[in-house]
Amino acid sequence: MASAWERKHHHSDLEKVAAFLPNLLAEDSLKRDILIQTVHGVLLFADISGFTALTEKFIQRSGTDRGTDELAQTLNCYLGDILEEMLIFGGDILKFAGDAVLVLWRTSPQELAKTISLVLQCSRQIQKKYGSHDTHVGQKVQLKIGISAGSMSLLIVGDRRRRYFCICGQALAEVCEAEQLANAGEVILSATSWELCEQHRLRTKGLAGKRAVKVMGMDRMSWAECQEALRNLVQYPRSHRLEGEGAMRPALLLPNDPNAEEVLRKYIPEAALRKLDDRVPLDLFSELRPVTTLFVQLQFAADISTVGLGTILHNASRMMVEILCPHKGEINKVLLFDKGCTFLCVFGLTGEKLPYESLHALQSAIQIFNSCSTMLGEIEAVSVAVTGGTVFCGVTGHPERHEHTVIGQKVNLAARMMVHYPGLVSCDAATYAASRLPPYYFKELPERKMKGLSHPGTIYQYVGITKRSTFGMGLTKKRSEYVPLLGREKEIDLFVRCLKAYEDFGQRHILAFEGTMGSGKSHLLTELAYLGQVAGHRVVAMELLELNVRQSFSAIRTLMARALGLQDCEPCSARQHMLQTKLRGTIEESSYCLLNDIFLVEFPISDKVREMRETQRKMELHSTWAKVLEKVIGGEFGIFVIDNAHFIDPASWSIMSPVLRNVSLFMVVSLAPGYARTESFCKAAADNTTSPKITYLHLDELKPSAVVQKVCQELGVVSIPRDLARFLIQRSSGNPYYCEELLRCLRCNAMLLFRTRRQGEKAEDSWESLIIEASPLAATLSSSVRNDGSVCTIRPDVNLENMVLPATLKEIVLAQLDRIKPLKQMVLKFAAVIGPVFTTQLLSHILPAGVRHKMNCLLDMLVSDNILKWLKNTEVPEDVQDPTKGPATSPQAERSVERPSPSKKTVERQPGVLAFCVPLLREAAYELWPERQRVALHHKCAAFLEQHAHKCESCCQGDFVAFHHFAVTSTQDGRSCQGPADPGDSRSWEALVLAGEQLKRDRTHATEGRFLAKSKQTTELPSKTDGKHNSACSCECKVIVESVLVPLARHYMAMGDAARAFYYLLECVAAYLHASNSYMALMKLNEAEVLRNSVEKKANGIARFEEAIFFSLKGEVCCLMGRMKLAKKMIREALSLLKRQFPKTSVGAFVKSQVEQLPCAAYVSRRASSLPQEARRKRLAWLLRQSCCLSLLEHVFSLEGTSSGQMFSRLAARMKANTDRAADSYQAADSRHR
């Protein structure tokens, strides 16, 4: 039976909103802003036991991303079925808490007894059906249920913009206690509900020392009694639901009232509202997204009143919203369960991703902790936990009642940390590392055993700003003593010239280097600081952090403290002595006390300062700082280097700005675009009065040659494979940090191999050595770099295109992606499934029907945003265009990108082809998809592309492996995706040809240029035979393989259909050989080898004919690459699989030649005519493959020049002639029976 989520549901706008909320919030009384309301009814608290252990099992089995996805899918299916039963029995789902749910049956006090019986019948039915559930990973989950009854209070907290609701009271406390007393599979009645229930119906068992009871059995209510109990529930509006009729929620029967919708929207998380407003379909709400989770737990006094509790929650929620909003965090839910009052806050949800997200979360956490600890007097304890990682962000529950939340291992970990590390701000190792804060901002906490978590990792306490962090830090990047800084020769030369002018003529100068995150600003400043020190200058260097921009006067304090040497003065008296020594004559003695709070000193408060009013004191403080700053940067203290100067806080800038204009100094700063301080420096550089004294320089991306050299430096090798060079150049876009992170990910996952290259070393005659030997190498390092002559290769079973994006880069790219609206994001996510280049026809085929009419308009906007680019037939030729320049950001790109004006009305256009401007953006968008939806989209893509998976018209169409699909029809065609897509027309074919040309250009040209001049090999290796592949294919097949066959193999791999993926990998190999591209044929054969080995391990196996094709194509490639001995071995294996043995000895060859002379044409002709068409064509495919293998053997043996070689060559020719005659007979029979 299909689960609740697999059934289609259609709602109005109001119903879509109401589905996120309980029926309780739909009542008229809530529209009158009643903040505390008394409610009577029965509460049910159901908790899934083993959920945390199940999470761990999924992560261990499938990895973080896929494991999280599988967990969410399993939970949704299981929980959806349970909720279906509760809805049928009239339950109102109040709250979700990950693996738990709180449900209310609202009724009058007089009907509590009947309602308890109804709830008990529902509970026992749920336990019978779903009480124990075996998952496919071997972890069993079970259900515990607690029930209570009586009166409770509904609290509404928040402000006019955002609202939250909670249930509190004795009934809530009792239901939490009952659930905790329950074991797996049990139903526990609280003491009050036991007193109120129809005890004559029940068979119970007492619990030792408790008034609550365990329900062992009950006399079932009749259908009429259930109907009566349902009618007596307090519902708005009235609706009758009977067991067996399916779930129907009263809230979903509301009239389409805009006022009601406006009120209800206040209770829905903002992440869900953004998607609702953009009309994103509900099944596309969910994503696998890296976020930072923040749990806040507030512990109250046991005797706190309901009014007091409501006041504290109201103030706490408002305070948290004010803290979270600037950091793009949001409260996802407020829970009053067994863990006290818990706030779940999330950073990085769709549309809200920020760079330095972990830092934003830690800042928010410490602010919330401090505010709750000091401002809310009746709170006994505050605990905050912060974790970061990939989680499921989306809809969970039931189609009629669900919530938008986060699920995953990191969410579970934060909840456990909140409980096991009370009274402080704790964070996990991932948040600690991602924050990039110095270690003194944290304190390592002792390891504690947490239920369900086997390896939680190191847990830290975030202590925030301490005395040690008050004076900031120096430059954190380390300079290499052995290798130069690559690609920054222009900037270094400018620094040297300006420093020379400063030394010789006293010319003050400010060098401002602006670059995006990861462009190498910090490394450059470290190098310049070193050069300044070598030149004999004192260098005062400091690095600012993102948190400094929100701390008044932090930048000026750090600058002055480091210039005066206060960071090394531990005792207060030492700092006081240093200040008096350095500032003697600069400020008055009476003004030293103004520096107390700034430099943590204790000068006596002077009478002059004591008598000042607040305004006067602020003015005097400002004047004193200006004098100190002028003294500090007046020249005697040397060169000033400020990394991340865009984080200078406004208060510091108000003092620094005028001083920088008037004082002679030499300063070097780094800046990032998009900040107020960056704009200030940019304007100053453009100002005629200051421009001679300020140089503002943008850091360009590294050239491809510098990227390759940098990689060789990092790896300590003299050369790297061309495929690795192309991968890193395209993915990094010349950004040094991106390159470093991609390389680190490759090394951490052991995807690279290293070997020492020896002159004259004879290669081993094996397939593995052929792969290594055939891989072209990118440029070598200069001889000045110390290495042992090692070269780097890619592990044979690694496909770089399938590498998961590192978490550090995913955060950066998602921050860029989240700047666009959800609907445009959705289109990008669909396009990402297709690939880096896609046609509008294919995109339209996989888009939801409700979005297709907006597709062209959305694509135009994405092109204008420089995220996509239109491809045209008039592209710059591949030997002229520089593909390392991003089409959306370089002037040259305008000649190859069609940019429609956003103001023009979008009209229906011919099918077109688009490409992603930034490869990382596509990969990040693709990885957001949950697996089930991703697989469905790959299925649609495959259905469309299979219509075009054949040779071009000039090559007579057909399979690249002759009659290939006929030979595998019986075993694989049932799993093919052919059918749903419309037959391809000429326009679709032309678009795919254009897409293939771009993909081929990206593959072959990205690493061409001067930096590969030392590499003698090219991507397309010349043929070494005189066969049909000698001349390059001039038809469209060479690009169709790129846009159709290669994607088809990828789509089937993503779907988990190894047989079809293997099929299309073989088609790719045959197509590349058809286009005389032996190198790519070799690479695709290597992919097929890896897939074949993985299938063998799973005991699935590959069809015999597919194995034969695999070995025959291997033989053909070996032949083309001069490995004749290996070629003979592979071809013999192929013929053996094709049941056409080829002898290995001279005697065997003699016997075989005699057999081949026997007449059999008449028999073959009769057999061909007697077979059905399917079997005839399958046999024909086998014969054609045998003929191909024998032709290759004839050629290989003919090259040996020996008598035995000639004998084997003649035998192969004779066998081929007989095979060709048999194939002709089968073709003739097939023609007669059409």
Side-chain angles (χ1 to χ4, degrees):
M1 185 180 74
S3 70
W5 279 106
E6 293 172 329
R7 297 192 284 273
K8 297 295 181 183
H9 297 265
H10 303 280
H11 305 301
S12 67
D13 289 346
L14 178 59
E15 289 172 339
K16 290 176 183 177
V17 170
F20 284 90
L21 300 169
N23 304 338
L24 197 57
L25 293 179
E27 298 194 5
D28 281 336
S29 59
L30 293 180
K31 299 178 185 179
R32 296 194 293 269
D33 291 333
I34 299 177
L35 302 182
I36 300 178
Q37 181 181 354
T38 300
V39 177
H40 298 277
V42 181
L43 281 178
L44 180 150
F45 189 10
D47 183 46
I48 300 174
S49 175
F51 177 74
T52 305
L54 177 66
T55 304
E56 291 284 292
K57 196 89 169 181
F58 274 121
I59 298 298
Q60 292 169 6
R61 177 179 180 268
S62 305
T64 303
D65 288 8
R66 187 173 177 184
T68 302
D69 184 23
E70 290 178 348
L71 169 71
Q73 297 297 339
T74 301
L75 178 65
N76 249 355
C77 291
Y78 182 51
L79 191 58
D81 291 338
I82 293 171
L83 296 180
E84 175 95 352
E85 296 289 335
M86 293 176 176
L87 290 170
I88 290 173
F89 275 88
D92 183 13
I93 292 94
L94 293 180
K95 289 281 186 179
F96 295 89
D99 59 344
V101 60
L102 182 66
V103 189
L104 170 68
W105 276 260
R106 191 179 180 194
T107 188
S108 64
Q110 296 79 15
E111 297 295 331
L112 280 174
K114 289 285 185 184
T115 306
I116 292 172
S117 297
L118 179 69
V119 175
L120 275 172
Q121 185 152 322
C122 172
S123 302
R124 289 184 56 78
Q125 185 163 315
I126 289 173
Q127 287 288 23
K128 182 178 179 181
K129 289 184 177 180
Y130 311 109
S132 181
H133 176 69
D134 292 315
T135 63
H136 67 277
V137 292
Q139 176 68 42
K140 179 179 290 188
V141 292
Q142 295 175 297
L143 201 61
K144 303 190 304 177
I145 296 178
I147 297 173
S148 72
S151 64
M152 62 207 80
S153 297
L154 172 66
L155 302 181
I156 305 296
V157 299
D159 53 26
R160 293 182 178 180
R161 184 167 170 266
R162 300 290 306 129
R163 285 187 175 182
Y164 312 93
F165 73 95
C166 292
I167 290 289
C168 67
Q170 184 63 29
L172 180 68
E174 287 192 4
V175 79
C176 290
E177 181 188 16
E179 183 275 328
Q180 290 173 349
L181 292 172
N183 293 317
E186 294 181 350
V187 179
I188 301 294
L189 270 179
S190 72
T192 303
S193 57
W194 169 242
E195 293 172 0
L196 294 173
C197 72
E198 297 176 317
Q199 296 184 7
H200 64 279
R201 287 184 179 272
L202 307 182
R203 294 181 296 280
T204 62
K205 181 180 179 181
L207 301 176
K210 301 292 180 181
R211 295 173 58 205
V213 297
K214 178 168 67 173
V215 179
M216 307 299 293
M218 72 173 293
D219 297 332
R220 288 179 58 87
M221 300 175 71
S222 67
W223 181 86
E225 288 176 318
C226 286
Q227 184 183 30
E228 180 66 23
L230 285 169
R231 276 199 296 265
N232 290 328
L233 293 177
V234 178
Q235 301 174 32
Y236 176 87
R238 293 282 176 181
S239 68
H240 301 286
R241 295 164 296 178
L242 302 179
E243 184 176 354
E245 293 184 353
M248 175 66 70
R249 287 189 57 212
L252 297 181
L253 301 177
L254 287 170
N256 200 2
D257 182 359
N259 294 326
E261 183 179 351
E262 182 182 351
V263 172
L264 294 180
R265 284 172 60 90
K266 296 179 182 180
Y267 296 90
I268 299 178
E270 293 179 25
L273 282 179
R274 286 190 292 271
K275 295 192 175 186
L276 284 172
D277 292 342
D278 257 22
R279 298 189 177 277
V280 175
L282 184 65
D283 56 349
L284 299 180
F285 270 45
S286 302
E287 293 179 334
L288 288 177
R289 174 175 278 263
V291 303
T292 304
T293 305
L294 187 153
F295 269 98
V296 181
Q297 185 184 58
L298 306 180
Q299 293 286 358
F300 307 106
D303 57 348
I304 188 171
S305 66
T306 301
V307 175
L309 178 61
T311 302
I312 291 178
L313 292 181
H314 178 74
N315 293 334
S317 63
R318 294 184 64 177
M319 175 268 296
M320 288 183 195
V321 169
E322 290 178 4
I323 292 174
L324 293 171
C325 278
H327 299 278
K328 298 294 185 180
E330 60 182 74
I331 299 175
N332 180 258
K333 64 177 73 172
V334 182
L335 303 171
L336 270 173
F337 275 175
D338 56 329
K339 298 182 179 68
C341 180
T342 302
F343 292 79
L344 170 59
C345 312
V346 187
F347 297 79
L349 291 172
T350 305
E352 299 294 304
K353 197 76 171 176
L354 285 179
Y356 312 104
E357 178 181 283
S358 297
L359 194 54
H360 286 282
L362 289 172
Q363 285 182 263
S364 300
I366 201 72
Q367 284 182 268
I368 290 171
F369 179 81
N370 292 334
S371 298
C372 289
S373 300
T374 57
M375 293 174 58
L376 306 176
E378 294 189 56
I379 296 178
E380 291 189 340
V382 182
S383 306
V384 184
V386 184
T387 59
T390 299
V391 301
F392 173 86
C393 305
V395 175
T396 183
H398 186 278
E400 301 295 337
R401 173 66 178 98
H402 43 254
E403 69 165 358
H404 189 274
T405 190
V406 290
I407 299 171
Q409 182 194 39
K410 289 296 185 176
V411 182
N412 296 348
L413 176 59
R416 298 290 191 217
M417 286 165 51
M418 173 187 68
V419 175
H420 287 84
Y421 296 94
L424 50 82
V425 177
S426 59
C427 71
D428 66 338
T431 306
Y432 168 82
S435 70
R436 303 182 193 175
L437 288 172
Y440 49 76
Y441 279 84
F442 300 89
K443 177 183 176 182
E444 188 172 331
L445 293 171
E447 183 178 350
R448 292 180 182 169
K449 187 174 180 61
M450 291 183 269
K451 181 182 175 183
L453 298 172
S454 53
H455 302 288
T458 306
I459 307 299
Y460 297 88
Q461 178 185 358
Y462 178 65
V463 297
I465 299 174
T466 60
K467 286 186 178 181
R468 188 175 178 186
S469 62
T470 301
F471 301 133
M473 59 183 182
L475 302 180
T476 55
K477 298 298 181 184
K478 303 299 181 183
R479 180 183 180 274
S480 173
E481 299 179 9
Y482 305 107
V483 294
L485 184 65
L486 296 171
R488 299 302 177 210
E489 294 78 12
K490 179 177 67 173
E491 291 80 4
I492 293 174
D493 182 61
L494 173 64
F495 172 81
V496 172
R497 286 189 281 107
C498 291
L499 183 59
K500 182 68 174 173
Y502 178 64
E503 293 172 338
D504 295 344
F505 308 109
Q507 293 180 0
R508 83 171 178 92
H509 210 93
I510 298 178
L511 286 177
F513 296 104
E514 183 241 314
T516 58
M517 184 178 180
S519 58
K521 304 185 296 294
S522 298
H523 282 292
L524 175 61
L525 262 63
T526 300
E527 182 72 16
L528 300 184
Y530 169 77
L531 295 176
Q533 290 174 339
V534 170
H537 296 275
R538 183 193 176 204
V539 176
V540 178
M542 56 180 276
E543 179 178 342
L544 294 176
L545 302 171
E546 203 276 340
L547 55 80
N548 294 124
V549 78
R550 291 183 173 84
Q551 299 170 5
S552 295
F553 303 110
S554 63
I556 193 172
R557 174 175 55 222
T558 302
L559 178 64
M560 292 191 294
R562 301 192 73 81
L564 295 170
L566 298 182
Q567 76 277 9
D568 298 322
C569 300
E570 186 63 29
C572 173
S573 58
R575 289 195 295 274
Q576 289 184 189
H577 177 72
M578 181 70 72
L579 286 170
Q580 288 173 325
T581 302
K582 296 285 188 180
L583 301 179
R584 185 174 289 114
T586 302
I587 61 175
E588 298 177 5
E589 193 72 25
S590 61
S591 298
Y592 277 106
C593 60
L594 294 172
L595 305 177
N596 285 351
D597 294 336
I598 306 302
F599 298 122
L600 304 179
V601 290
E602 298 175 356
F603 288 108
I605 306 298
S606 65
D607 294 336
K608 178 183 176 181
V609 173
R610 188 179 292 109
E611 293 172 359
M612 288 180 182
R613 295 180 178 178
E614 187 65 26
T615 306
Q616 289 177 312
R617 183 174 294 191
K618 287 183 179 179
M619 292 176 61
E620 183 66 21
L621 179 62
H622 194 283
S623 174
T624 301
W625 279 0
K627 291 175 184 178
V628 175
L629 181 62
E630 188 171 343
K631 171 71 175 178
V632 166
I633 66 176
E636 66 176 276
F637 292 98
I639 302 171
F640 292 85
V641 179
I642 305 178
D643 193 13
N644 294 331
H646 48 280
F647 290 143
I648 297 176
D649 59 281
S652 296
W653 185 249
S654 66
I655 299 173
M656 295 174 66
S657 179
V659 176
L660 292 178
R661 293 175 181 268
N662 302 320
V663 178
S664 176
L665 83 160
F666 189 78
M667 181 178 283
V668 183
V669 301
S670 71
L671 302 160
Y675 291 86
R677 222 54 63 226
T678 304
E679 294 297 322
S680 300
F681 277 98
C682 185
K683 289 178 181 177
D687 190 345
N688 292 331
T689 60
T690 58
S691 57
K693 303 172 184 177
I694 299 179
T695 300
Y696 191 90
L697 192 65
H698 175 76
L699 294 182
D700 295 325
E701 66 274 8
L702 294 181
K703 295 180 180 178
S705 56
V707 173
V708 174
Q709 287 179 314
K710 178 177 177 62
V711 173
C712 290
Q713 279 184 4
E714 296 282 340
L715 298 177
V717 297
V718 296
S719 61
I720 59 174
R722 174 179 287 183
D723 286 345
L724 177 59
R726 177 175 59 248
F727 171 80
L728 292 173
I729 290 168
Q730 290 179 340
R731 296 302 193 279
S732 69
S733 301
N735 186 298
Y737 177 69
Y738 291 8
C739 182
E740 291 169 6
E741 287 299 298
L742 290 167
L743 199 57
R744 184 187 60 80
C745 185
L746 290 170
R747 298 190 72 174
C748 289
N749 291 287
M751 295 182 176
L752 303 179
L753 301 177
F754 302 91
R755 61 186 178 91
T756 302
R757 187 170 61 181
R758 299 182 178 90
Q759 293 293 334
E761 180 182 6
K762 187 176 180 181
E764 181 185 354
D765 196 18
S766 66
W767 181 255
E768 292 75 16
S769 66
L770 177 61
I771 296 291
I772 296 174
E773 181 188 347
S775 300
L777 298 177
T780 59
L781 281 176
S782 62
S783 58
S784 61
V785 179
R786 296 189 295 180
N787 57 68
D788 58 358
S790 296
V791 296
C792 170
T793 59
I794 304 168
R795 204 176 72 203
D797 61 338
V798 168
N799 184 347
L800 293 178
E801 302 302 319
N802 296 334
M803 191 185 90
V804 176
L805 199 61
T808 50
L809 297 188
K810 186 183 288 187
E811 179 179 317
I812 297 171
V813 177
L814 285 180
Q816 301 171 5
L817 185 65
D818 278 354
R819 294 172 189 165
I820 63 177
K821 291 187 176 181
L823 201 57
K824 289 196 286 184
Q825 270 195 47
M826 186 184 71
V827 172
L828 273 184
K829 285 168 60 180
F830 276 92
V833 176
I834 301 173
V837 179
F838 59 94
T839 68
T840 54
Q841 279 187 319
L842 179 48
L843 179 61
S844 176
H845 177 70
I846 66 173
L847 278 174
V851 184
R852 287 173 190 161
H853 68 285
K854 304 176 184 177
M855 183 187 74
N856 286 338
C857 179
L858 292 169
L859 290 176
D860 286 341
M861 288 190 285
L862 289 168
V863 169
S864 66
D865 292 338
N866 295 337
I867 296 171
L868 299 176
K869 60 175 180 176
W870 287 105
L871 300 181
K872 299 169 64 177
N873 287 311
T874 55
E875 289 258 15
V876 180
E878 63 182 86
D879 58 341
V880 177
Q881 183 186 8
D882 181 2
T884 63
K885 300 292 184 182
T889 58
S890 59
Q892 297 91 331
E894 298 299 331
R895 295 192 293 269
S896 62
V897 179
E898 181 182 346
R899 297 190 181 283
S901 170
S903 61
K904 293 181 179 179
K905 185 177 180 181
T906 305
V907 296
E908 191 70 25
R909 60 163 62 90
Q910 295 293 322
V913 181
L914 295 100
F916 281 83
C917 297
V918 182
L920 291 184
L921 193 66
R922 185 199 75 83
E923 293 174 25
Y926 175 78
E927 290 176 13
L928 292 174
W929 282 109
E931 185 181 10
R932 184 178 297 180
Q933 295 173 334
R934 187 189 305 171
V935 167
L937 291 174
H938 281 296
H939 192 281
K940 286 186 175 182
C941 290
F944 181 92
L945 290 175
E946 282 191 327
Q947 309 297 326
H948 308 280
H950 53 74
K951 294 179 182 178
C952 66
E953 189 174 351
S954 63
C955 295
C956 303
Q957 300 185 341
D959 300 328
F960 285 93
V961 175
F963 282 76
H964 193 178
H965 72 279
F966 292 113
V968 298
T969 298
S970 60
T971 59
Q972 295 177 13
D973 222 35
R975 294 191 295 271
S976 171
C977 290
Q978 289 184 357
D982 296 329
D985 55 21
S986 60
R987 293 185 304 171
S988 179
W989 178 269
E990 290 168 3
L992 288 169
V993 168
L994 177 57
E997 289 172 351
Q998 178 65 28
L999 289 165
K1000 183 174 182 293
R1001 185 180 295 110
D1002 290 342
R1003 176 177 56 77
T1004 60
H1005 185 61
T1007 56
E1008 297 293 339
R1010 293 190 301 273
F1011 74 102
L1012 284 180
K1014 297 182 182 179
S1015 178
K1016 295 181 180 180
Q1017 289 180 300
T1018 61
T1019 302
E1020 298 190 2
L1021 301 180
S1023 172
K1024 296 185 179 180
T1025 71
D1026 296 323
K1028 63 181 179 180
H1029 302 304
N1030 274 350
S1031 58
C1033 177
S1034 59
C1035 63
E1036 294 171 338
C1037 294
K1038 63 182 180 181
V1039 292
I1040 283 299
V1041 64
E1042 306 284 356
S1043 60
V1044 177
L1045 298 181
V1046 172
L1048 272 170
R1050 178 174 60 85
H1051 290 311
Y1052 277 112
M1053 283 287 288
M1055 292 161 58
D1057 191 339
R1060 294 298 293 177
F1062 193 79
Y1063 173 94
Y1064 281 109
L1065 281 173
L1066 297 181
E1067 283 289 296
C1068 289
V1069 175
Y1072 279 124
L1073 290 173
H1074 180 73
S1076 300
N1077 191 339
S1078 304
Y1079 174 69
M1080 283 308 299
L1082 178 66
M1083 292 298 101
K1084 291 302 171 185
L1085 275 173
N1086 185 51
E1087 287 184 39
E1089 173 90 21
V1090 174
L1091 179 60
R1092 175 175 171 268
N1093 292 339
S1094 68
V1095 169
E1096 284 181 350
K1097 290 178 182 178
K1098 296 177 182 178
N1100 261 342
I1102 298 292
R1104 185 185 183 98
F1105 182 71
E1106 297 286 80
E1107 288 266 359
I1109 295 174
F1110 174 64
F1111 281 103
S1112 69
L1113 291 173
K1114 267 189 170 183
E1116 189 169 355
V1117 170
C1118 291
C1119 178
L1120 291 171
M1121 303 189 76
R1123 294 292 190 92
M1124 300 305 174
K1125 183 178 178 181
L1126 192 58
K1128 287 188 287 185
K1129 177 182 176 182
M1130 297 296 173
I1131 298 169
R1132 276 196 169 103
E1133 180 67 25
L1135 285 170
S1136 175
L1137 289 166
L1138 291 168
K1139 302 178 182 180
R1140 193 88 159 98
Q1141 300 287 346
F1142 193 84
K1144 297 181 180 181
T1145 65
S1146 299
V1147 174
F1150 174 78
V1151 174
K1152 187 69 173 176
S1153 64
Q1154 299 303 312
V1155 173
E1156 290 295 324
Q1157 294 180 29
L1158 297 175
C1160 58
Y1163 167 75
V1164 170
S1165 179
R1166 287 195 303 274
R1167 177 172 172 78
S1169 300
S1170 64
L1171 289 174
Q1173 185 183 58
E1174 182 180 342
R1176 187 166 53 245
R1177 289 183 174 179
K1178 184 175 181 178
R1179 179 59 184 163
L1180 180 57
W1182 282 60
L1183 291 171
L1184 293 175
R1185 184 48 43 181
Q1186 290 174 7
S1187 177
C1188 179
C1189 292
L1190 292 167
S1191 176
L1192 285 170
L1193 276 182
E1194 177 189 1
H1195 174 74
V1196 170
F1197 281 114
S1198 69
L1199 296 176
E1200 290 187 0
T1202 63
S1203 58
S1204 62
Q1206 295 302 316
M1207 178 181 65
F1208 281 114
S1209 178
R1210 288 193 296 272
L1211 173 61
R1214 180 170 296 170
M1215 292 174 68
K1216 179 181 183 303
N1218 289 339
T1219 302
D1220 288 344
R1221 281 192 290 272
D1224 291 341
S1225 298
Y1226 276 86
Q1227 284 181 322
D1230 192 57
S1231 299
R1232 289 194 300 271
H1233 288 81
R1234 282 182 182 174

